[in-house]
Amino acid sequence: MPEKDLEKVGWKLPIVIVFTVIALWLLSWFLLEGKDNRGTFGDMFGAVNALFSGLAFAGVIYAIILQRKELSLQREELKLTRAELKGQKEEMRVQNETLRVQKFENTF
């Protein structure tokens, strides 16, 4: 996913994922409501387990997306740092040259 697309999505993505998981869970519950083959009462806890597993998976996906965004920002910061250090290196070279000239002029 390109970085600009991630910025557009923002906080909406985790909310959409959470609502999708809950909607799927509720849909399965309503489809099985009143059916004789639904099984025992304890099997409904399996549906709750599926809900929490789906939400955990959504959380992992969201964390990966956030980490990807942070890593891209870190890469950009490193590029800027390298450019700044390159500029400082050039400035130090100029200062060294000036210092050499001053030392030479002070000897006379």
Side-chain angles (χ1 to χ4, degrees):
M1 214 176 213
E3 301 306 320
K4 291 182 181 179
D5 291 342
L6 288 177
E7 292 174 6
K8 290 179 184 176
V9 173
W11 55 270
K12 296 175 187 174
L13 180 64
I15 292 175
V16 169
I17 291 172
V18 167
F19 280 124
T20 302
V21 170
I22 291 173
L24 290 173
W25 179 71
L26 288 174
L27 178 68
S28 69
W29 188 77
F30 283 119
L31 289 175
L32 294 174
E33 182 69 26
K35 302 246 178 168
D36 293 335
N37 62 355
R38 193 169 79 167
T40 62
F41 176 75
D43 287 341
M44 286 301 293
F45 294 110
V48 173
N49 186 20
L51 170 68
F52 288 121
S53 295
L55 291 175
F57 185 64
V60 168
I61 291 173
Y62 184 65
I64 290 171
I65 290 170
L66 286 178
Q67 187 176 21
R68 182 177 177 194
K69 183 177 180 181
E70 287 296 321
L71 285 174
S72 69
L73 291 173
Q74 185 179 13
R75 278 188 217 110
E76 185 64 32
E77 185 67 30
L78 283 173
K79 286 179 188 177
L80 294 173
T81 302
R82 284 186 197 125
E84 185 65 31
L85 287 175
K86 187 176 181 180
Q88 287 179 358
K89 183 179 176 182
E90 181 62 29
E91 186 64 32
M92 286 183 74
R93 188 190 64 75
V94 170
Q95 287 178 358
N96 272 339
E97 187 63 35
T98 304
L99 185 60
R100 269 193 223 126
V101 170
Q102 285 178 354
K103 280 183 182 180
F104 180 73
E105 290 175 354
N106 284 340
T107 58
F108 294 110

